[in-house]
């Protein structure tokens, strides 16, 4: 806080000097606090986004049809999103993806409530800055607050599935609780987005 | 093309070899004296006359149903409906009383009249060889029913009328159904000869009769081999090597044996079989087998290496399949020379019902239940494994869930494997060998990997001037019992079918054939060599036409002047497609015309170029298959061939990586899907010529028609299959 | 284990709880109308109805199938099923027929939810059912015809 201190004489001048010095250190601290907040936020984001861009997440966060596999190929058999994001009559997501979990016999992954996220939550080909901003945007993210985003990462059945995808599918590289902590840290430190 | 066998008897090569133009269909073609599938003790001889004894081919039951015993295998092509139509026509049966069952494997009664002594279905020859025979069966039966009625009613046979399953005598107002007369009729001596109806009197032939198998197949009640269960049977799944030609060195089955439901584990020549009480347990048991393999005799190359070898082979001279005129000289004089190389990948047949079959052993014999397409070969190989005579092997032929050539294997592969398993357990239970989809995709017997190198010339006036053609692929017959017949002197005639016998007027033509070899087994894939030769011929003709600034249809017409039936389908397809009418930008039309198995098919493809590649919108087809016994089935076979062949144009390929097949299931060997199917219009040429078959001829023209349409739309020519559409952008 | 199939309770005794429903139906209950084509949910030949919806029985374990109402091709019934079967037969859709149980089950599911499907809706519903014989054109026609006859009240 900068104030104008009217003082007299050297003591005032010294006090002023001291004050100014203190103030500049504090604001520097605030600035560097803001800097380090932003840095910490971006650092957390850098790690969070590797998960979001991982095939387990990004395969379904697509605008039209989901992708499939670690190689992100076109989904086979062909499927379409459908009005409710759960496929179409005759070919619902649930026709193959069991709500009870992964089916090792057929190697078809499964989890409760298997479906695509809404189109607005597509991250396909988004650079990480735009992805970040889209994630935070309540008009796109299902009206979620930042805490709501944390809750999604913490509780959603399909997010949990990404850590136990079954078959030979690659699981997410870091433990789930570490991931959630990083998301929390990102939020705590201001939920900053890279440019 | 007549050759003389070792014993001096004339014989004509048939089946999967080129046939001379015109008039060969009716002749009973004989395979050579080295009859590999001959019944024991039977000396090869000229074929006995066709049997038309109704007692052999018909059963009329008291409930008035008429059951045809089909000597041919039903794999979807509709032959059972076709055969029943021929019989019903002359018999004067009502279509609603017709049924079909499969004949027992008695080649002396049920042989394919175009394949010597053998009982088999293939070469699109079923209707062709049955055309006269089955109508005579019907006519003879009608004759015998009439005689029985005349005798019963004591009236002159000439006054008796037979129509719609009813035999009647107007004057005395008497009538009886077939069912009521059958017992007496079948005791009447079979007439020595019978008269057949004139086409103008046909009531059933040429009509869109309902398929006889539609109801069962649309209600889930049709039974395939996989649906059969013999009492006490054990399901067997086999772990085969990843690399073709590898052998089992050692195996550890203790984990497999500990799986509940697993009963036994046995070693057989093709690998290690796990036997269990149900399919799931057998598969689970196989998953935990531990096997070490000896790969010293195995194919360990990648596809690219094999193709490189093919390229090297093609640099030398091959076996001359055709030498007409002087192609080299004609090319030397040509003003334009076009050269191209085409590659065609290994292709799996991938019928929807995977290979499977049941065998029961009993003293002095064996009984099989399976979708058997070449019963003579199957009985031969089962007998060989079991130390029996072929007559001691009884085959119950069942409906097949698709084949496309896979079930008609001159190696009798899965039947021999089944017999090995049954033998290994001393026949103590019936064995049901089941191939999974992965077994099927990875199991070999593919359409051979094939390389074509072609050089064609045009003179100054835009006429063909020389055609040099080299074809490198594995022989389907070398190394099999049919080698002597089909691949004498190492030259496999089947590899150049459609090319060596092309009807196009090419005065200076050289065709060289090269047999490559690999332990990887190969097999005919719907239309055999035509599925690659047609593509090359029709693509090059198209390119020649464009270079000569001639219309592609007119260019072909000028080369077919002596072949009116071929000209007719070509012109009909062009006309129905509106050939010559301008197309919107980004769209193109392509023509291909090809004769195979004596049936002529012309197709015009319409495509639209899209961002990722192209879309096939419509196929307009003209077909001359002689009499179209059931036009609905003819159309279905053309639609089906388009759907089937399209997968080989769009994407299908079996590839090897260091000898291991890279594909496993329908996700990486994805056939044509519903949304990719173009519209198909079929125009059947009205003909009274004997039917020539429709199971295969729809395949060869599809790929080149599409390629030519793409070239018309983009100016870019795609050669090898599957088309790489990234080359278009 | 117990299964409710085609309106009846069936006790199949002790089986591997991981056994796909497909093999329970085929090997334990003798209901072979539902077919094995790939075992990986790629082809649709194994399609049954569970609580009214089309489900690939190769991808549902016995454990997860217990307690659900399962209907197979042998017993599927109702106006839509009748119309679909009739159209299939009238148009001679089938060739080898092996995939057709699955095609029909998927088509019934489609028409039970969309009365008059467009070609695009038919594509989307049917793209997951493979036919190697190429009967797709007739399947499409049969679906349109079934929709029409249902609308006519036939």
């Amino acid at each position: 806080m900068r104030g104008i201190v009217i003082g007299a004489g050297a003591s005032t001048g010294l006090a002023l000097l001291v004050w100014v010095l203190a103030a500049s250190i504090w604001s520097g601290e605030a600035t560097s606090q803001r800097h380090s907040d932003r840095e910490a936020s971006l650092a957390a984001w850098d790690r969070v986004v590797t998960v979001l861009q991982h095939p387990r997440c990004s395969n379904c966060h697509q605008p039209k049809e989901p992708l499939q596999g670690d190689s992100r190929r076109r989904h086979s058999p062909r499927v379409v999103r459908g009005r409710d994001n759960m496929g179409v009559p005759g070919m619902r997501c649930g026709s193959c993806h069991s709500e009870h979990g992964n089916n090792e016999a057929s190697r078809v992954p499964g989890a409760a409530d298997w479906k695509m996220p809404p189109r607005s939550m597509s991250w396909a080909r988004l650079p990480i800055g735009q992805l970040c901003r889209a994630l935070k945007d309540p008009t796109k993210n299902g009206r979620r607050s930042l805490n709501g985003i944390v809750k999604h990462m913490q509780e959603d059945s399909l997010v949990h599935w990404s850590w136990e995808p079954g078959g030979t599918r690659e699981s997410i590289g870091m433990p789930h609780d570490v991931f959630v902590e990083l998301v929390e840290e990102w939020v705590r430190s201001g939920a900053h987005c890279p440019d | 093309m007549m050759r003389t066998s070792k014993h001096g008897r004339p014989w004509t090569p048939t089946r999967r070899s080129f046939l001379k133009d015109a008039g060969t269909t009716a002749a009973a073609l004989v395979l050579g004296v080295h009859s590999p599938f001959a019944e024991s003790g039977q000396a090869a001889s000229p074929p006995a006359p066709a049997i038309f004894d109704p007692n052999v081919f018909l059963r009329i039951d008291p409930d008035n149903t008429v059951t045809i015993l089909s000597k041919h295998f039903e794999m979807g092509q509709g032959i059972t409906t076709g055969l029943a139509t021929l019989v019903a026509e002359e018999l004067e049966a009502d279509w609603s009383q017709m049924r079909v069952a499969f004949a027992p494997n008695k080649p002396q009664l049920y042989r394919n009249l175009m394949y010597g002594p053998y009982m088999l279905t293939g070469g699109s020859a079923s209707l062709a060889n049955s055309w006269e025979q089955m109508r005579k069966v019907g006519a003879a039966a009608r004759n015998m029913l009439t005689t029985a009625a005349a005798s019963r009613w004591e009236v002159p046979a000439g006054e008796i009328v037979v129509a719609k399953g009813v035999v009647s005598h107007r004057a005395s107002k008497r009538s009886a159904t077939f069912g009521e007369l059958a017992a007496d009729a079948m005791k009447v001596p079979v007439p020595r000869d019978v008269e057949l109806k004139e086409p103008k009197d046909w009531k059933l032939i040429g009509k869109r009769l309902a398929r006889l198998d539609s109801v069962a197949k649309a209600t889930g009640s049709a039974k395939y081999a996989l649906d059969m269960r013999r009492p006490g049977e054990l399901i067997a799944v086999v772990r085969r090597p990843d690399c073709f030609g590898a052998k089992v060195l050692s195996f550890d089955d203790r984990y497999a044996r500990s799986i509940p439901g697993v009963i036994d584990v046995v070693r057989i020549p093709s690998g290690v079989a796990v036997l269990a009480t149900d399919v799931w347990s057998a598969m689970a048991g196989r998953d935990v087998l531990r096997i070490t393999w000896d790969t010293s005799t195995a194919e360990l190359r990648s596809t690219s290496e094999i193709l490189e070898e093919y390229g090297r082979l093609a640099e030398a001279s091959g076996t001359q399949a055709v030498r007409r005129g002087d192609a080299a000289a004609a090319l030397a004089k040509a003003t334009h020379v076009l050269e191209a190389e085409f590659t065609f990948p290994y292709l799996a047949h991938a019928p929807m019902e995977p290979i499977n079959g049941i065998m029961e052993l009993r003293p002095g014999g064996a009984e099989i239940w399976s979708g058997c397409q070449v019963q003579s070969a199957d009985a031969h190989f089962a007998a060989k494994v079991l130390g029996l005579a072929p007559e001691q092997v009884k085959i119950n032929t069942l409906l097949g869930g698709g084949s496309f050539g896979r079930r008609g294997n001159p190696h009798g592969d899965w039947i021999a494997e089944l017999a090995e398993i049954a033998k290994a357990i001393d026949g103590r239970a019936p064995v049901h060998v089941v191939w999974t989809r992965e077994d099927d995709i990875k199991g070999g017997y593919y359409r051979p990997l094939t390389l074509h190198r072609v050089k064609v010339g045009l003179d100054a006036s835009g006429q063909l001037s020389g055609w040099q053609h080299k074809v490198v692929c594995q022989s389907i017959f070398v190394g099999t019992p049919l080698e002597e017949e089909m691949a004498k002197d190492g030259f496999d005639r089947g590899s150049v079918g459609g090319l060596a016998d092309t009807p196009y007027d090419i005065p200076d033509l050289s065709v060289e054939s090269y047999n490559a070899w690999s332990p990887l087994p190969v097999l005919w894939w719907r239309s055999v060599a035509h599925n690659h030769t047609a593509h090359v011929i029709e693509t090059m003709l198209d390119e020649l036409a464009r270079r000569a600034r001639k219309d592609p249809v007119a260019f072909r017409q000028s080369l077919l002047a002596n072949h009116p039936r071929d000209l007719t389908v070509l012109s009909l397809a062009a006309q129905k497609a509106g050939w010559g009418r301008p197309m919107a930008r980004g769209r193109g039309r392509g023509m291909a015309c090809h004769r195979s198995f004596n049936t002529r098919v012309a197709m015009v493809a319409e495509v639209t170029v899209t961002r990722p590649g192209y879309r096939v919108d419509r196929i307009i087809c003209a077909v001359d298959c002689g009499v179209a016994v059931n036009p609905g089935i003819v159309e279905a076979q053309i639609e089906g061939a388009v759907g089937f062949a399209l997968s080989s144009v769009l994407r299908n390929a079996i590839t090897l990586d260091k000898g291991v097949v890279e594909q496993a299931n329908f996700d990486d060997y994805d056939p044509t899907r519903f949304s990719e199917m173009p519209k198909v219009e079929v125009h059947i040429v009205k003909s009274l010529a004997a039917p020539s078959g429709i199971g295969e001829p729809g395949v060869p023209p599809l790929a080149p028609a599409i390629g030519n349409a793409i070239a018309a739309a983009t100016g870019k020519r795609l050669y090898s299959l599957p088309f790489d559409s990234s080359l278009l952008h | 284990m117990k299964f409710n199939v085609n309106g009846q309770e069936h006790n199949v005794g002790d089986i591997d709880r991981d056994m796909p429903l497909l093999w329970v139906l085929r090997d334990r209950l003798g209901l072979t109308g539902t077919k094995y084509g790939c075992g990986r949910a790629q082809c649709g030949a194994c399609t049954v109805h569970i609580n009214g919806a089309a489900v690939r029985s190769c991808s549902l374990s016995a454990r997860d199938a217990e307690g659900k109402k399962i209907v197979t091709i042998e017993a599927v019934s109702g106006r839509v099923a009748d119309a679909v079967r009739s159209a299939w037969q009238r148009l001679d859709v089938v060739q080898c027929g092996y995939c057709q149980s699955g095609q029909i089950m998927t088509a019934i599911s489609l028409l039970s939810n969309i009365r008059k499907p467009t070609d695009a809706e038919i594509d989307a519903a049917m793209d997951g059912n493979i036919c190697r014989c190429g009967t797709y054109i007739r399947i499409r026609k049969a679906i349109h015809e079934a929709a029409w006859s249902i609308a006519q009240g036939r």
Side-chain angles (χ1 to χ4, degrees):
Chain A
M1 185 161 85
R2 293 173 208 270
I4 299 171
V5 175
I6 301 167
S11 62
T12 312
L14 187 58
L16 178 59
L17 183 61
V18 167
W19 188 91
V20 166
L21 266 173
S24 74
I25 290 167
W26 189 8
S27 68
E29 258 177 24
T31 314
S32 68
Q33 182 62 45
R34 277 196 304 278
H35 273 307
S36 63
D37 263 358
R38 189 180 152 77
E39 263 168 36
S41 201
L42 291 177
W45 174 254
D46 269 348
R47 294 184 65 196
V48 163
V49 81
T50 64
V51 173
L52 304 188
Q53 288 181 323
H54 190 283
R56 299 289 81 75
C57 304
S58 64
N59 276 356
C60 288
H61 280 269
Q62 295 287 322
K64 292 174 86 184
E65 287 82 48
L67 301 177
Q68 196 178 58
D70 293 342
S71 60
R72 309 173 199 258
R73 61 180 178 272
R74 192 180 59 194
H75 189 289
S76 176
R78 287 153 195 247
V79 294
V80 297
R81 174 186 275 281
R83 261 193 299 259
D84 62 0
N85 306 315
M86 289 163 80
V88 292
M91 197 68 172
R92 304 288 285 159
C93 300
S95 296
C96 307
H97 296 280
S98 171
E99 57 181 333
H100 300 283
N102 300 323
N103 185 279
E104 291 309 328
S106 64
R107 301 193 215 172
V108 176
D113 210 22
W114 192 278
K115 63 180 184 293
M116 288 189 81
R119 209 178 295 265
S120 63
M121 297 182 200
S122 166
W123 302 331
R125 287 188 293 277
L126 283 185
I128 60 175
Q130 284 187 44
L131 202 169
C132 179
R133 282 179 284 282
L135 183 68
K136 290 199 305 185
D137 183 344
T139 68
K140 289 193 177 141
N141 71 8
R143 299 191 185 295
R144 285 185 171 89
S145 63
L146 291 173
N147 283 332
I149 294 173
V150 173
K151 196 158 182 258
H152 172 70
M153 304 302 186
Q154 200 156 37
E155 294 177 3
D156 184 271
S157 59
L158 295 180
V159 171
H160 277 277
W161 169 81
S162 301
W163 270 263
E164 273 173 63
T168 52
R169 281 172 284 275
E170 196 188 79
S171 167
I172 306 290
M174 68 182 79
H176 179 250
D177 52 359
V178 168
F179 171 65
V180 172
E181 265 173 43
L182 280 169
V183 178
E184 283 171 338
E185 199 190 305
W186 172 68
V187 166
R188 240 193 338 261
S189 53
H192 290 274
C193 292
D195 297 319
Chain B
M1 180 178 179
M2 297 290 281
R3 282 165 149 250
T4 311
S5 75
K6 261 203 309 217
H7 297 254
R9 291 208 186 92
W11 60 275
T12 316
T14 179
R15 173 81 175 170
R16 314 306 182 187
S17 70
F18 54 97
L19 298 171
K20 272 197 92 151
D21 183 34
T24 50
T25 28
L29 300 168
V30 186
L31 280 174
V33 295
H34 305 277
S35 309
F37 309 135
E39 307 292 56
S40 56
Q42 180 193 327
S45 51
I51 295 164
F52 55 89
D53 180 349
N55 291 293
V56 169
F57 286 103
L58 277 196
R59 199 179 66 224
I60 303 178
D61 286 309
D63 67 357
N64 207 27
T65 52
V66 177
T67 303
I68 309 300
L69 292 182
S70 173
K71 64 184 191 177
H72 285 301
F73 174 56
E74 176 63 67
M75 46 186 136
Q77 83 281 42
I79 189 59
T80 47
T81 298
L83 296 180
T85 304
L86 301 184
V87 174
E89 178 70 72
E90 296 290 342
L91 177 57
E92 296 286 1
D94 190 81
W95 189 238
S96 65
Q97 72 191 126
M98 302 306 294
R99 308 283 183 272
V100 180
F102 289 110
N105 60 314
K106 295 193 163 121
Q108 63 274 31
L109 299 177
Y110 300 113
R111 68 181 188 280
N112 185 320
L113 299 173
M114 287 174 89
Y115 290 90
Y118 306 136
M119 181 177 179
L120 60 86
T121 299
S124 298
S126 299
L127 256 185
N129 93 96
S130 307
W131 172 236
E132 212 176 84
Q133 182 187 41
M134 288 299 121
R135 287 184 298 152
K136 283 188 170 173
V137 166
R142 190 193 75 240
N143 192 293
M144 289 151 74
L145 284 159
T146 304
T147 304
S151 167
R152 184 183 286 190
W153 300 329
E154 292 169 332
V155 299
E159 292 175 11
I160 291 191
V161 166
V162 184
K164 287 192 178 277
V166 177
V167 182
S168 50
H169 183 246
R170 263 191 212 114
S172 61
K173 292 193 171 66
R174 272 182 290 203
S175 70
T177 64
F178 286 178
E180 287 162 348
L181 287 163
D184 288 346
M186 289 320 189
K187 295 193 197 111
V188 172
V190 180
R192 212 162 310 173
D193 207 353
V194 287
E195 259 183 41
L196 298 177
K197 286 184 185 177
E198 292 296 311
K200 65 176 169 57
D201 299 322
W202 286 340
K203 299 182 184 118
L204 299 177
I205 292 173
K207 298 283 184 299
R208 291 165 184 274
L209 298 177
R211 283 181 74 118
L212 293 177
D213 50 2
S214 264
V215 174
K217 289 175 176 176
T219 53
S221 61
K223 292 272 181 275
Y224 305 81
L226 199 59
D227 304 326
M228 284 279 309
R229 285 289 179 272
R230 292 294 298 167
E233 77 169 35
L234 295 175
I235 307 286
V237 294
V238 180
R239 179 70 168 97
R240 300 175 193 83
D242 288 340
C243 298
F244 299 101
K247 298 186 176 46
V248 176
L249 253 184
S250 68
F251 68 100
D252 179 354
D253 62 7
R254 74 190 113 139
Y255 302 106
R257 285 180 183 274
S258 71
I259 301 279
V262 171
I263 303 297
D264 204 351
V265 181
V266 294
R267 180 177 183 155
I268 52 172
S270 54
V272 179
V274 175
L275 293 117
T277 51
D278 60 86
V279 179
W280 176 245
S281 306
M283 282 162 52
R286 180 173 72 170
D287 280 345
V288 295
L289 270 180
R290 294 192 182 170
I291 306 182
T292 56
W293 299 98
D294 169 10
T295 57
S296 60
T297 50
E299 174 62 85
L300 295 174
R301 294 176 293 176
S302 301
T303 328
S304 51
E305 291 173 73
I306 302 174
L307 268 176
E308 269 170 34
E309 190 221 333
Y310 286 15
R312 282 193 296 276
L313 281 174
E315 263 142 47
S317 301
T319 305
Q320 200 79 38
V322 178
R323 193 202 299 276
R324 189 188 306 152
D326 188 339
L331 280 165
K333 317 199 290 264
T335 39
H336 298 286
V337 173
L338 304 174
E339 274 189 76
E341 184 175 285
F342 294 70
T343 62
F344 299 86
Y346 294 113
L347 287 176
H349 305 71
M352 284 310 292
E353 182 202 5
I355 295 294
N356 73 97
I358 305 172
M359 181 176 282
E360 269 181 32
L361 298 187
R362 43 186 80 98
E367 193 166 351
I368 295 172
W369 289 260
S370 191
C372 286
Q373 183 173 347
V374 289
Q375 290 88 344
S376 286
D378 295 331
H380 168 84
F381 284 103
K384 198 161 161 221
V385 169
L386 300 168
L388 296 169
E391 304 86 78
Q392 293 174 293
V393 177
K394 180 177 177 199
I395 297 178
N396 300 285
T397 301
L398 302 172
L399 288 173
S403 172
F404 317 113
R406 181 63 182 89
R407 293 184 142 91
N409 194 339
H411 303 254
D413 76 296
W414 88 90
I415 293 293
E417 182 182 76
L418 173 56
E420 294 283 2
I421 302 170
K423 187 166 86 170
I425 63 164
D426 292 319
R428 70 177 190 271
V431 173
H432 193 152
V433 73
V434 174
W435 288 45
T436 62
R437 179 57 55 195
E438 288 80 7
D439 294 339
D440 173 65
I441 299 290
K442 290 180 176 291
Y445 295 102
Y446 303 130
R447 193 275 304 270
L449 179 69
T450 306
L451 171 71
H452 284 246
R453 283 202 184 139
V454 58
K455 207 164 157 185
V456 298
L458 279 175
D459 67 20
S461 63
Q463 309 277 45
L464 257 187
S465 181
W467 188 302
Q468 268 178 348
H469 206 131
K470 292 170 181 249
V471 183
V472 186
C473 61
Q474 265 175 267
S475 162
I476 289 166
F477 298 104
V478 165
T480 76
L482 285 173
E483 175 173 351
E484 188 66 38
E485 314 292 342
M486 300 302 302
K488 221 159 137 65
D489 310 317
F491 161 48
D492 181 344
R493 273 180 298 283
S495 300
V496 292
L499 171 56
D501 53 334
T502 178
Y504 288 115
D505 181 16
I506 306 176
D508 301 288
L509 172 65
S510 157
V511 178
E512 287 171 273
S513 167
Y514 304 75
N515 277 349
W517 187 85
S518 168
L520 183 156
V522 295
L523 188 59
W524 41 58
W525 189 94
R526 197 172 183 180
S527 81
V528 200
H530 299 268
N531 57 50
H532 51 88
T533 58
H535 181 59
V536 178
I537 297 168
E538 292 298 306
T539 302
M540 295 314 293
L541 283 178
D542 208 67
E543 215 169 301
L544 284 164
R546 286 178 196 284
R547 186 65 69 93
R549 290 205 167 70
K550 293 181 179 173
D551 174 83
V553 171
F555 190 72
R556 288 173 173 80
Q557 282 168 335
S558 69
L559 299 172
L560 287 173
N562 298 319
H563 300 284
R565 290 174 78 180
D566 302 74
L567 272 176
T568 300
V569 294
L570 174 64
S571 308
L572 180 58
Q575 182 225 323
K576 293 290 182 187
W579 188 268
R581 276 207 304 259
M583 288 194 95
R585 218 175 125 75
R587 301 198 71 222
R589 213 183 260 126
M591 165 65 80
C593 180
H594 192 78
R595 188 203 300 179
S596 64
F597 311 100
N598 273 312
T599 290
R600 294 139 175 97
V601 179
M603 282 185 182
V604 175
E606 290 173 351
V607 309
T608 302
V609 180
T610 61
R611 226 324 83 184
Y614 62 93
R615 189 184 63 238
V616 185
D617 300 315
R618 191 165 72 124
I619 305 289
I620 301 98
C621 177
V623 51
D624 177 354
C625 54
V627 170
V629 171
N630 186 321
I633 289 181
V634 171
E635 286 166 11
Q637 286 308 291
I638 296 288
E639 291 163 12
V642 168
F644 180 78
L646 185 57
S647 60
S648 71
V649 176
L650 293 176
R651 55 184 166 265
N652 281 172
I654 294 286
T655 53
L656 303 183
D657 178 24
K658 300 194 188 44
V660 179
V661 174
E662 295 185 281
Q663 292 72 30
N665 204 306
F666 287 133
D667 48 356
D668 45 21
Y669 194 79
D670 195 13
T672 309
R673 293 281 182 164
F674 197 99
S675 59
E676 295 172 313
M677 190 70 193
K679 293 186 167 54
V680 177
E681 267 174 41
V682 183
H683 302 277
I684 303 171
V685 173
K686 277 205 164 4
S687 169
L688 290 178
S692 52
I694 195 61
E696 294 166 285
V699 167
L702 182 75
I706 294 172
N708 294 342
I710 292 172
T714 64
K716 295 199 175 113
R717 182 70 62 181
L718 298 177
Y719 295 97
S720 300
L721 292 184
F723 284 148
D724 179 0
S725 54
S726 71
L727 298 173
L728 297 176
H729 299 290
Chain C
M1 294 188 78
K2 287 205 193 76
F3 298 95
N4 184 320
V5 182
N6 297 336
Q8 279 188 313
E9 281 293 316
H10 296 269
N11 192 329
V12 302
D14 267 330
I15 57 167
D16 180 359
R17 299 172 73 76
D18 286 331
M19 181 185 294
L21 174 62
L22 171 65
W23 298 114
V24 176
L25 293 171
R26 289 183 57 82
D27 284 354
R28 294 292 164 156
L29 299 178
L31 290 165
T32 56
T34 306
K35 304 300 186 199
Y36 165 76
C38 72
R40 299 273 286 272
Q42 293 293 323
C43 77
C46 67
T47 305
V48 297
H49 289 170
I50 298 206
N51 300 334
V55 169
R56 296 188 173 205
S57 62
C58 72
S59 304
L60 190 67
S61 66
R63 171 194 299 114
D64 296 335
E66 260 192 323
K68 299 207 188 335
K69 280 199 169 59
I70 300 159
V71 176
T72 68
I73 182 73
E74 288 93 341
V76 68
S77 63
R79 233 163 43 109
V80 176
D82 290 343
V84 168
R85 267 190 296 258
S86 295
W88 241 252
Q89 288 163 25
R90 237 187 345 267
L91 292 171
D92 273 342
V93 171
V94 308
Q95 290 187 27
C96 89
Y98 191 80
C99 76
Q100 298 293 336
S101 298
Q103 304 277 2
I104 287 168
M105 295 301 273
T106 303
I108 292 172
S109 180
L110 166 66
L111 286 168
S112 299
N113 286 278
I114 303 183
R115 297 192 159 236
K116 217 172 157 240
T118 60
D119 277 334
E121 285 167 331
I122 294 174
D123 280 351
M126 304 302 295
D127 244 351
N129 282 75
I130 296 176
C131 172
R132 275 296 262 168
C133 295
T135 66
Y136 298 135
I137 291 174
R138 293 189 183 205
I139 292 175
R140 184 191 300 283
K141 211 166 157 204
I143 290 173
H144 282 306
E145 195 168 297
W148 179 84
S149 70
I150 294 167
Q152 300 298 307
R154 304 220 175 157

